Amino acid sequence: MTKFQAGFASILAPVLTKRSMGRARVALVALAAAAIAGCASMGPQTPEQQVEARAKTYWNARVKADNKTAYSLLAPAYRGLNSEQDFVRQHGAGVNLREAGVAKVTCESAERCTARISMTAKPMVPGLNLPLVTAYMDDTWVLEQGQWWRFQAP
């Protein structure tokens, strides 16, 4: 028995029987294993994983018409030249996107990745009730100042 196990056992001894103490050890080992596995999964992410997470955040914000969040994920160069109001004017206050997702991310270099985005939208044509349409587009992400940003031409 290790010092930790002995200390753990001495604390719980008044309330545990031998049988329940064995179960407590098993539970403690399982808890420790789960903690170690959790830490391992929190390791450094690949550029593709980082871009995927940021692209999901950007496109979920666009679906929800959360322009503040979407604008905050644009490259600093774009934000230096265009205000949030400019961004909203350029893309519209409300978007007819119903859902968006990241299908795939490919990094062409250490500073540039392309996220393949699937988008489902409701075409808005006056007088017509068109069905939902799903399309794909490539979204460019660039690494600046240690962070991935969506590239938007000014």
Side-chain angles (χ1 to χ4, degrees):
M1 185 179 285
T2 67
K3 274 185 170 181
F4 177 76
Q5 290 171 331
F8 180 72
S10 67
I11 293 169
L12 297 176
V15 293
L16 296 175
T17 64
K18 281 186 178 183
R19 187 175 190 184
S20 63
M21 202 143 124
R23 288 184 188 147
R25 280 190 197 122
V26 170
L28 180 62
V29 169
L31 181 63
I36 290 169
C39 289
S41 69
M42 291 172 34
Q45 292 183 318
T46 65
E48 290 84 359
Q49 290 169 323
Q50 293 172 20
V51 169
E52 180 179 359
R54 300 216 9 124
K56 281 181 183 177
T57 301
Y58 175 83
W59 285 102
N60 285 338
R62 292 293 307 272
V63 168
K64 295 174 185 170
D66 179 358
N67 294 311
K68 183 177 234 35
T69 298
Y71 178 77
S72 75
L73 292 164
L74 296 173
Y78 175 88
R79 289 182 286 132
L81 295 172
N82 297 279
S83 69
E84 185 178 335
Q85 291 74 27
D86 294 333
F87 171 73
V88 172
R89 274 193 296 276
Q90 189 177 15
H91 294 284
V95 178
N96 294 317
L97 284 177
R98 299 296 169 93
E99 37 178 89
V102 179
K104 178 182 174 182
V105 175
T106 306
C107 293
E108 299 83 30
S109 71
E111 298 87 28
R112 182 183 175 102
C113 294
T114 301
R116 185 85 165 151
I117 307 299
S118 66
M119 295 181 285
T120 301
K122 177 78 170 165
M124 300 302 286
V125 179
L128 295 177
N129 185 17
L130 298 173
L132 293 175
V133 175
T134 299
Y136 291 85
M137 68 168 264
D138 289 336
D139 206 20
T140 302
W141 289 77
V142 292
L143 183 64
E144 289 182 30
Q145 304 168 357
Q147 184 62 268
W148 288 99
W149 305 98
R150 183 175 187 270
F151 176 77
Q152 176 80 34

